[in-house]
Amino acid sequence: MEIGIIYKQFHAELLGYVKHKIRSREDAEDILQNVFVKISSNIRTLDEDVKIKNWIFTVTRNAIIDYYRLNANKRKHATSAELTDDIADVEEPDQTKGLDQCMANMIDLLPDEYRDIIVESEIKGIKQKDLAEKYGIAYPSMRSKVQRGRERLKQLFYNCCQIETDKRGNVMDVKGKSGCGESCSPC
């Protein structure tokens, strides 16, 4: 599909959607401009099976999320700078110290079919498309394997560790659960 046709067909609907989420016409138009740049540069990479409208709205939703993240980071940095001026430096102990070793031990407990893929995608940062080529499997299959591996890793943590988080879900402390088998007590 051609970008001009996409623009004519979806511009008004996308602008309304973004304005509803952002509430600033100027910011909404900026976001929409970035969305159409992304659409233009990625439209040729789409599979024929992809539903174009769903894909366009996914790109738009991600752009809105990026907008809020960027603005939250700007506010956070401004607030952080103000607090630094007002508060003396206090060094807090690292509550998650050793969590990296715990994570490595948990990854070792994964079945072979997930272990290498999780290490390469999550620890080494290799893109899933590159892993799909390396292992000779279809990209959607690789995405599914990574998701299943993440889910298994998450279950290992919940089964074997007591995880304390703050309101935002940040890990504050991790302790091994009592009664968890010897092979499953890495924390």
Side-chain angles (χ1 to χ4, degrees), residues 27 31 39 42 58 72 93 99 102 127 165:
D27 288 345
I31 289 170
I39 290 170
N42 293 309
T58 300
L99 191 56
C102 182
K127 293 181 181 179
T165 60

Side-chain angles (χ1 to χ4, degrees), residues 85-99:
D85 293 339
D86 295 342
I87 299 173
D89 290 335
V90 177
E91 193 169 316
E92 294 183 28
D94 183 5
Q95 298 295 325
T96 60
K97 191 171 187 168
L99 191 56

Side-chain angles (χ1 to χ4, degrees), residues 31 40 49 154:
I31 289 170
S40 176
D49 297 340
K154 179 179 169 184

Side-chain angles (χ1 to χ4, degrees), residues 86-147:
D86 295 342
I87 299 173
D89 290 335
V90 177
E91 193 169 316
E92 294 183 28
D94 183 5
Q95 298 295 325
T96 60
K97 191 171 187 168
L99 191 56
D100 53 347
Q101 184 58 46
C102 182
M103 175 69 78
N105 291 342
M106 283 293 188
I107 290 173
D108 285 341
L109 295 174
L110 286 173
D112 292 340
E113 65 180 304
Y114 299 113
R115 184 181 315 119
D116 294 337
I117 290 172
I118 291 296
V119 168
E120 290 181 1
S121 69
E122 303 303 316
I123 306 297
K124 294 181 180 176
I126 299 173
K127 293 181 181 179
Q128 293 178 15
K129 282 190 177 187
D130 295 335
L131 288 175
E133 288 178 22
K134 177 181 177 181
Y135 288 96
I137 61 176
Y139 174 60
S141 298
M142 178 55 69
R143 285 190 320 203
S144 295
K145 268 193 173 218
V146 170
Q147 287 300 101

Side-chain angles (χ1 to χ4, degrees), residues 5-185:
I5 295 170
I6 292 172
Y7 184 87
K8 287 177 185 175
Q9 187 175 357
F10 293 103
H11 182 267
E13 188 176 0
L14 288 175
L15 183 60
Y17 175 71
V18 175
K19 279 176 38 182
H20 176 74
K21 301 290 184 185
I22 300 298
R23 309 238 189 260
S24 163
R25 182 169 182 87
E26 294 82 19
D27 288 345
E29 288 173 354
D30 288 345
I31 289 170
L32 197 55
Q33 181 179 1
N34 291 336
V35 165
F36 279 107
V37 168
K38 287 179 185 175
I39 290 170
S40 176
S41 60
N42 293 309
I43 192 74
R44 287 170 181 59
T45 63
L46 287 180
D47 294 333
E48 292 179 20
D49 297 340
V50 174
K51 298 205 185 300
I52 191 81
K53 185 174 183 176
N54 291 342
W55 178 74
I56 290 172
F57 272 90
T58 300
V59 170
T60 305
R61 186 181 67 242
N62 290 342
I64 293 168
I65 291 168
D66 291 344
Y67 167 84
Y68 278 114
R69 282 184 184 148
L70 179 65
N71 286 333
N73 284 338
K74 285 179 183 176
R75 281 189 301 254
K76 186 190 307 181
H77 290 304
T79 303
S80 179
E82 291 169 9
L83 289 175
T84 304
D85 293 339
D86 295 342
I87 299 173
D89 290 335
V90 177
E91 193 169 316
E92 294 183 28
D94 183 5
Q95 298 295 325
T96 60
K97 191 171 187 168
L99 191 56
D100 53 347
Q101 184 58 46
C102 182
M103 175 69 78
N105 291 342
M106 283 293 188
I107 290 173
D108 285 341
L109 295 174
L110 286 173
D112 292 340
E113 65 180 304
Y114 299 113
R115 184 181 315 119
D116 294 337
I117 290 172
I118 291 296
V119 168
E120 290 181 1
S121 69
E122 303 303 316
I123 306 297
K124 294 181 180 176
I126 299 173
K127 293 181 181 179
Q128 293 178 15
K129 282 190 177 187
D130 295 335
L131 288 175
E133 288 178 22
K134 177 181 177 181
Y135 288 96
I137 61 176
Y139 174 60
S141 298
M142 178 55 69
R143 285 190 320 203
S144 295
K145 268 193 173 218
V146 170
Q147 287 300 101
R148 285 192 304 269
R150 287 177 184 159
E151 190 58 38
R152 287 196 179 212
L153 188 59
K154 179 179 169 184
Q155 286 307 313
L156 281 171
F157 267 104
Y158 284 124
N159 291 341
C160 297
C161 301
Q162 181 179 345
I163 302 170
E164 183 182 328
T165 60
D166 63 9
K167 287 188 254 181
R168 293 188 176 133
N170 297 318
V171 175
M172 300 302 290
D173 194 19
V174 178
K175 295 178 183 144
K177 286 183 180 178
S178 61
C180 196
E182 191 65 34
S183 64
C184 191
S185 57

